Amino acid sequence: MRLGSRAVCWLLMLTIVGLAAPGRLSAQGTAGRRTVAAVADRDVRDWDSQITRMERSDELRVRRTDEDGLVPGRTHERFDQYYDGIRVVGGELVRQLEKGQTLSVFGTVYAGISVDSEPAMRAEDAADIVAELTGVTLPAARVPDLVVLPRDDGGYALTYRARVMTASDLIIYYIDAQTGDVVLQYSDLETTVGTGKGVLDDTKKVSTTLKNGTYIASDKLRPPNINTYDMKGSLTRTNQYLNGQILLGDSDFASDSDDDWTDQAAVDAHAYAGWTYDYYYKRFNRQGLNNRNLAMTSLVHPVKREEWASQPSSVLNLYYLNAFYAGDGVMVYGEGLPPNVTAGGMKWNYFSGALDVVAHELTHGVTDYTSGLIYRNESGALNEAFSDIMGASAEFYYQPLGNGYLKADYLLGEDLTSPLSGFRSMANPQAFGDPDHYSKRYLGSSDNGGVHTNSGIANQAFYLAVEGGTNRTSGLAVTGVGSANRDKIEKVFYRAFTQMLPANATFAIARAATIQAARDLYGTGSDVDRAVTQAWTAVGVN
Amino acid sequence: MNNTPVILRPLILAGVLAMCGLASAPANAQTPSVWQGIGFIAVDGGAQVTSSGYTSNLTFPLHGETATGTATSDAVSGAVFTARGGIRIWKNLALGAGVTVFSSTPDVAVEASLPHPFFFNRPREVSGTASGLTRRETMAAVEVSWLVPLSRRMDMSLFAGPAFFNVRQDMVTTVQFTETYPYDTATFAGVESEEVSRSVTGFTVGADVSYLFSKNFGLGGQFRFSRASTTLTPSGGQSTAVDLGGAQVGGGIRIRF
Ligand SMILES: [Zn+2]
């Protein structure tokens, strides 16, 4: 069965769904809880005297004092809050000092605590309760601590806190010191490294978390939360989530019973999101999409593959034959088509199965938080090009050079298609009907003014700046920096596109900004300056 | 010998004096050629100085791969306590038993190759020194002794026999380390160990020189060499060949009856 080629033209079209920021805060009660973030002089002075007063009344005790490893002469004091000599869970202040002068105070303290501080049971009794619940007898060194627990529903409880490793989970228990009831229990984070097969049957590692006996695709090893959810083919639920109408919970995580993962789409979405984070971190020292470790959320299986034939073309184009960045760090990966179905003459695999596609989508997030290139006309084409450039660059960072699956090349999305083809080429945009020269740019209005078409011009400029060669349209030759120095051109484009371009940039501005970035980084007249300048000239952007 | 506890040094000195200094005294004309006593007891403290080192190969699962490494102790030396006694059975021949208890806690050099949490075949190398890993050897030997009177106050005995060793060795099982994002390096932080116990048969030979202050009491020194070989295998780990025993020198009190 063949689909119209139009489906293919829509591939990788970015769809920014305006998300109402979902309420992802926990339901923790706030009665009596004071959040402290004192940096202004007066606030700092107030908290200084407050700390002194609370230390005198034994409501605060210094737990530790650390030297600042980055700013010489600074120290950081950590105070725990106490009530009647008992530590208050989560009550903590951190004071930054320089030469005895306070610079900042951050933390949380609880006011109005009222609780009977005389426990009715001993710590050993609480340990017995935990043993009954879990079958684990705590050794004497791990006897539960008496603490005051601020309850989620407000109020406080005198509790014993125990941390218990069972056969399947690491559980924190808070046992009421008066009644022996379990006031609170939760799974402490347990980070694991699983393995799984990706979409192309390649085995890779995945950072997972063991929660309540099941391994979930939640990466706690990297600085941001990187979570992958299995939408189980529910387009309704997918749309509800993207529209902020529902939150996703533990049961929505992509999961595996033994950490040897079999959901290939989830494996690649999860692993490649982490790889992309690492690429940005190691290459550009960037901390995630917003440079502040924004959580990265991947949705796989938004629809069911086998239902493709009954879907309207809009759903087919968006949720089967596409991947998109939905804003706020959320990516949605299309399901592809069943192996016996072709579209545009090709078979289509799960869209998370191509590293360049994943890095492309995540780069839309980076653009969102930096230049904000407007997604139409020339700025839109630059937006798309930057995603392609970073997508291909991530491939070169991780994969061996070559032609074929799981190889680094200048094709986009080739790992998704059979036969190996992809849907764009940076080395030869015209092979897919895209312009490789400004004079051939698309001037119509479809595809937001040809954002996926005219991206070929900037893609070709990047390619020529790295590899060198002759532009097919202008016949102008470029001396590239060479593949061994590709990181220099990546840095030039990254710097220009994230820090120098305005939202409504044109190709001419992109030329000027990348040349300036090259000169700032490597000097005027450097090989890099020359390569970038020649490349833009070769593609007709002056 | 730098592992020898300070308290044992006088005992070793006593033994060396008894074996060397006093043994060189000219033999007295009254030296009896036949040992007349019923039996003897010797209790010594000293050092085991030439025990062999060992290298154990480590493998343990980490991050979906297998971490590998080695734990190497160049030599195992330390304090040894010995007690032996015997009964004369014929002429100068005595049959008896000896027990030695040896303990040593040498530093162990650890090297390991730790899999990366994100990628296959991208190990991080760490190395460090682990301390507190103890070997305890207990040897019980059946000893046949030939006692040679050297003078009225001095004698020397040569002894040999099969020895039954029990060893309890703390074996490194896992390397502890710290790592932070992006995990391209790791830092050695220590080891986890498991005490592995094994019993094996070997031999012991030695010589003892005693100097008697009175009919029943004296001081003496001994030199002994014992040896047994075995393998130690922590649960789920690799087998490591170790040699037990070694050269021991010590000194202490002598009782004759
Ligand atoms: Zn895109």
Side-chain angles (χ1 to χ4, degrees):
Chain A
M1 185 113 196
R2 296 172 70 88
L3 289 169
S5 61
R6 184 159 172 75
V8 183
C9 300
W10 283 81
L11 283 165
L12 282 186
M13 299 219 15
L14 174 81
T15 305
I16 299 181
V17 176
L19 278 185
R24 285 181 181 132
L25 283 176
S26 74
Q28 187 168 325
T30 53
R33 173 175 151 169
R34 280 187 76 183
T35 302
V36 185
V39 287
D41 277 355
R42 215 186 66 188
D43 294 345
V44 166
R45 272 201 308 278
D46 285 350
W47 273 102
D48 243 347
S49 49
Q50 182 103 327
I51 287 171
T52 307
R53 190 185 56 70
M54 289 178 77
E55 271 196 294
R56 255 189 232 131
S57 59
D58 197 31
E59 289 173 272
L60 279 185
R61 295 181 191 172
V62 178
R63 182 176 6 125
R64 56 187 292 170
T65 303
D66 295 313
E67 296 296 319
D68 193 317
L70 296 175
V71 184
R74 300 260 178 107
T75 55
H76 301 268
E77 288 179 328
R78 237 161 233 283
F79 298 85
D80 284 327
Q81 186 181 1
Y82 281 76
Y83 172 80
D84 222 348
I86 304 163
R87 188 171 67 84
V88 179
V89 176
E92 182 178 357
L93 289 175
V94 186
R95 177 161 69 175
Q96 183 187 192
L97 294 154
E98 184 173 48
K99 293 184 188 132
Q101 292 294 307
T102 302
L103 300 177
S104 65
V105 180
F106 300 105
T108 307
V109 290
Y110 293 89
I113 298 176
S114 171
V115 66
D116 182 357
S117 59
E118 269 309 314
M121 63 170 69
R122 299 169 311 141
E124 288 77 3
D125 301 324
D128 289 346
I129 291 170
V130 169
E132 258 181 52
L133 290 166
T134 62
V136 177
T137 305
L138 293 169
R142 290 232 184 133
V143 75
D145 291 327
L146 188 65
V147 293
V148 172
L149 177 73
R151 303 177 67 124
D152 286 352
D153 57 358
Y156 300 90
L158 186 70
T159 61
Y160 284 106
R161 179 188 184 278
R163 188 167 178 270
V164 189
M165 186 76 225
T166 69
S168 61
D169 207 347
L170 182 57
I171 309 171
I172 306 290
Y173 283 101
Y174 288 92
I175 309 288
D176 194 307
Q178 314 298 357
T179 64
D181 293 337
V182 177
V183 179
L184 176 66
Q185 82 175 68
Y186 59 89
S187 171
D188 209 6
L189 300 176
E190 185 169 339
T191 297
T192 57
V193 176
T195 58
K197 276 199 175 5
V199 170
L200 293 169
D201 284 338
D202 53 320
T203 303
K204 47 172 68 91
K205 295 189 180 187
V206 279
S207 302
T208 59
T209 299
L210 179 60
K211 197 157 194 184
N212 301 322
T214 300
Y215 295 91
I216 59 173
S218 180
D219 180 351
K220 307 290 184 196
L221 286 173
R222 290 180 172 87
N225 281 320
I226 301 178
N227 296 327
T228 300
Y229 293 97
D230 176 2
M231 301 315 290
K232 302 178 180 69
S234 172
L235 184 54
T236 307
R237 227 174 129 62
T238 302
N239 277 326
Q240 284 174 336
Y241 172 70
L242 294 177
N243 286 313
Q245 293 156 350
I246 58 166
L247 298 178
L248 297 179
D250 285 354
S251 61
D252 294 304
F253 274 108
S255 64
D256 191 90
S257 58
D258 62 1
D259 224 13
D260 186 8
W261 289 65
T262 52
D263 182 342
Q264 297 177 295
V267 165
D268 276 346
H270 199 57
Y272 287 158
W275 291 20
T276 303
Y277 179 89
D278 297 342
Y279 166 70
Y280 270 100
Y281 179 83
K282 291 183 178 181
R283 190 66 107 203
F284 310 119
N285 199 24
R286 183 180 186 83
Q287 296 177 7
L289 305 188
N290 64 350
N291 208 14
R292 289 179 179 77
N293 290 321
L294 179 76
M296 296 157 75
T297 303
S298 302
L299 308 186
V300 295
H301 307 309
V303 289
K304 291 191 170 78
R305 253 192 189 183
E306 62 273 20
E307 292 174 356
W308 70 276
S310 59
Q311 300 284 9
S313 64
S314 57
V315 170
L316 209 49
N317 289 338
L318 189 57
Y319 289 103
Y320 285 82
L321 296 172
N322 202 357
F324 61 95
Y325 177 69
D328 293 337
V330 179
M331 275 76 57
V332 184
Y333 294 103
E335 192 69 354
L337 294 170
N340 59 340
V341 181
T342 60
M346 292 185 289
K347 295 175 179 174
W348 295 87
N349 219 327
Y350 297 103
F351 270 64
S352 59
L355 174 59
D356 54 4
V357 170
V358 173
H360 173 111
E361 298 311 334
L362 286 162
T363 298
H364 282 309
V366 173
T367 299
D368 248 15
Y369 285 98
T370 54
S371 62
L373 285 164
I374 296 163
Y375 204 63
R376 55 195 300 271
N377 303 331
E378 289 201 12
S379 57
L382 290 169
N383 187 323
E384 268 303 311
F386 185 51
S387 278
D388 282 352
I389 288 165
M390 291 291 114
S393 296
E395 273 195 7
F396 280 95
Y397 193 80
Y398 290 106
Q399 297 176 342
L401 306 186
N403 300 312
Y405 292 117
L406 301 170
K407 294 281 167 50
D409 56 28
Y410 288 96
L411 294 170
L412 273 299
E414 74 283 1
D415 285 350
L416 304 178
T417 60
S418 174
L420 183 123
S421 160
F423 32 77
R424 280 192 291 278
S425 168
M426 300 167 75
N428 182 14
Q430 295 185 102
F432 292 83
D434 300 323
D436 69 350
H437 194 270
Y438 193 63
S439 63
K440 292 182 172 173
R441 69 191 182 280
Y442 171 77
L443 292 170
S445 61
S446 70
D447 185 24
N448 288 358
V451 296
H452 292 88
T453 307
N454 292 336
S455 54
I457 299 162
N459 283 350
Q460 167 82 163
F462 175 84
Y463 166 81
L464 291 173
V466 176
E467 305 289 347
T470 304
N471 178 266
R472 287 175 176 76
T473 299
S474 68
L476 293 175
V478 176
T479 304
V481 296
S483 201
N485 295 312
R486 56 173 310 110
D487 62 299
K488 292 180 177 173
I489 303 297
E490 290 173 21
K491 285 172 183 163
V492 164
F493 275 70
Y494 169 80
R495 187 163 182 268
F497 275 68
T498 58
Q499 293 179 310
M500 298 162 86
L501 289 190
N504 61 351
T506 59
F507 279 102
I509 293 175
R511 173 195 163 103
T514 49
I515 290 170
Q516 188 57 47
R519 290 174 180 171
D520 292 345
L521 288 170
Y522 303 105
T524 302
S526 62
D527 289 0
V528 181
D529 175 11
R530 186 202 60 220
V532 172
T533 305
Q534 286 181 358
W536 282 113
T537 302
V539 301
V541 175
N542 292 296
Chain B
M1 292 245 329
N2 48 5
N3 274 12
T4 311
V6 172
I7 54 161
L8 293 177
R9 288 181 189 158
L11 293 171
I12 296 169
L13 187 63
V16 170
L17 285 174
M19 291 174 77
C20 307
L22 297 176
S24 66
N28 188 308
Q30 297 168 356
T31 304
S33 63
V34 176
W35 177 29
Q36 304 293 340
I38 297 170
F40 67 89
I41 292 171
V43 179
D44 286 357
Q48 182 161 300
V49 291
T50 60
S51 294
S52 310
Y54 66 91
T55 295
S56 61
N57 291 312
L58 312 173
T59 58
F60 52 94
L62 179 67
H63 298 331
E65 289 180 85
T66 300
T68 59
T70 56
T72 303
S73 173
D74 286 335
V76 182
S77 58
V80 66
F81 288 90
T82 304
R84 46 188 299 270
I87 301 290
R88 188 171 69 89
I89 53 172
W90 176 71
K91 289 192 175 175
N92 290 12
L93 192 70
L95 183 64
V99 174
T100 69
V101 179
F102 163 68
S103 175
S104 171
T105 309
D107 283 348
V108 174
V110 178
E111 292 181 357
S113 183
L114 306 173
H116 197 285
F118 298 157
F119 301 100
F120 285 105
N121 305 316
R122 203 179 292 178
R124 292 88 42 86
E125 308 300 325
V126 298
S127 60
T129 302
S131 52
L133 299 165
T134 299
R135 178 188 293 187
R136 293 178 191 82
E137 291 178 15
T138 306
M139 184 197 75
V142 175
E143 293 174 356
V144 176
S145 303
W146 184 260
L147 190 141
V148 184
L150 298 174
S151 71
R152 196 169 56 82
R153 291 183 180 278
M154 275 186 76
D155 57 45
M156 180 175 82
S157 65
L158 303 171
F159 55 88
F164 307 97
F165 285 82
N166 174 263
V167 58
R168 286 185 292 149
Q169 168 80 54
D170 293 329
M171 303 287 292
V172 175
T173 54
T174 300
V175 176
Q176 297 171 323
F177 57 94
T178 56
E179 56 177 3
T180 54
Y181 181 83
Y183 310 110
D184 293 335
T185 59
T187 306
F188 177 84
V191 297
E192 287 177 23
S193 64
E194 177 187 322
E195 186 187 86
V196 179
S197 178
R198 200 68 200 271
S199 294
V200 64
T201 305
F203 69 90
T204 186
V205 295
D208 180 303
V209 174
S210 299
Y211 181 84
L212 298 174
F213 299 120
S214 67
K215 185 171 177 247
N216 297 111
F217 296 100
L219 287 176
Q222 67 161 307
F223 173 82
R224 174 196 287 273
F225 183 80
S226 313
R227 177 62 85 219
S229 296
T230 187
T231 56
L232 300 174
T233 311
S235 47
Q238 308 247 319
S239 292
T240 299
V242 293
D243 287 332
L244 308 179
Q248 298 173 353
V249 59
I253 56 170
R254 298 292 180 265
I255 298 170
R256 292 282 189 277
F257 50 89

